[in-house]
Amino acid sequence: MIDDFVLLSDIDFGKNEKISLIDGTQLSFSGNYADFNGDNDYSDSMVVGNQSDIAFKSNFDGNGHTLKNVDIKIDKGSSNKNNFIGIFGNVKQSEIHNLQIDNVEIAYNANGFVYGVGSFIGYVQDTKIYDIGIKDVNISFQDDSNQSMVGGVVGWLTSTSTGFDSVNRINVENVSINAKITGGLPQLY
């Protein structure tokens, strides 16, 4: 497992551009999807750690760079396993810092089994998050389960060892959340 990730340049997901990894691997992006194996199939979601048993457990240094024009659309039936939705879906025991995020669109139609939705992180546990700038976020969702926790930055935050003071210096501008709920009220943060 890789312990540390460092962003080497800005990424504009709306430009269908390529980025290079340190090992020379080239990734092509189309919207919020990546062609990880080069077969021109963009059906794998860019949500990192989208299930309770699949979490991002490394450190991420944005190196002052920007992720821009992130577009996540999920029309979810009960067989879909995107339990956590955001640029990072599920993050545990990590440190994420020094990153800018500009223009995030998240649209999902939930039919149960969605627990955390945030522009940056859907669910986070025991993680330090600091020096993050987020602007121009639009989250729209329909939830028939009354189980979603939704936030402009983080959908669901828990801590057993780092404490809730582990989230610092987050600058947020222009966040919109449009919710259509059946059966109760969501937990909005």
Side-chain angles (χ1 to χ4, degrees):
M1 181 170 104
I2 299 172
D3 292 327
D4 298 297
F5 290 89
V6 177
L7 193 59
L8 300 177
S9 64
D10 295 347
I11 300 175
D12 186 342
F13 291 97
K15 286 191 170 182
N16 197 18
E17 61 186 26
K18 290 187 177 193
I19 64 165
S20 296
L21 302 181
I22 291 175
D23 69 0
T25 302
Q26 293 271 314
L27 296 179
S28 297
F29 291 93
S30 174
N32 68 310
Y33 296 92
D35 182 14
F36 290 106
N37 58 11
D39 65 357
N40 291 319
D41 178 6
Y42 293 92
S43 62
D44 295 328
S45 175
M46 272 298 293
V47 176
V48 178
N50 60 354
Q51 299 173 41
S52 57
D53 60 342
I54 301 173
F56 181 80
K57 293 183 178 180
S58 299
N59 298 319
F60 187 91
D61 180 355
N63 206 22
H65 293 292
T66 301
L67 300 179
K68 190 174 192 175
N69 297 318
V70 178
D71 185 19
I72 300 171
K73 291 183 176 45
I74 297 175
D75 188 11
K76 183 175 171 25
S78 60
S79 63
N80 190 317
K81 294 187 178 184
N82 282 300
N83 297 110
F84 307 109
I85 300 170
I87 294 171
F88 291 90
N90 181 5
V91 178
K92 294 180 181 177
Q93 299 149 357
S94 301
E95 185 171 308
I96 301 176
H97 61 96
N98 203 16
L99 179 66
Q100 300 298 308
I101 300 168
D102 185 5
N103 191 23
V104 177
E105 292 277 335
I106 296 177
Y108 77 96
N109 181 1
N111 186 13
F113 306 103
V114 174
Y115 303 116
V117 179
S119 67
F120 185 40
I121 303 172
Y123 172 82
V124 62
Q125 178 183 5
D126 298 328
T127 295
K128 293 182 181 181
I129 304 167
Y130 57 94
D131 297 333
I132 305 293
I134 299 173
K135 68 178 183 177
D136 298 330
V137 173
N138 183 27
I139 299 173
S140 61
F141 68 96
Q142 178 175 339
D143 182 359
D144 297 330
S145 71
N146 190 31
Q147 296 179 7
S148 295
M149 293 188 195
V150 181
V153 178
V154 172
W156 183 2
L157 171 69
T158 65
S159 180
T160 58
S161 63
T162 59
F164 288 109
D165 62 347
S166 63
V167 178
N168 292 291
R169 299 182 305 272
I170 310 296
N171 184 32
V172 180
E173 297 177 34
N174 194 25
V175 173
S176 171
I177 299 174
N178 181 10
K180 182 179 178 185
I181 306 299
T182 303
L185 295 173
Q187 297 180 34
L188 299 175
Y189 298 94

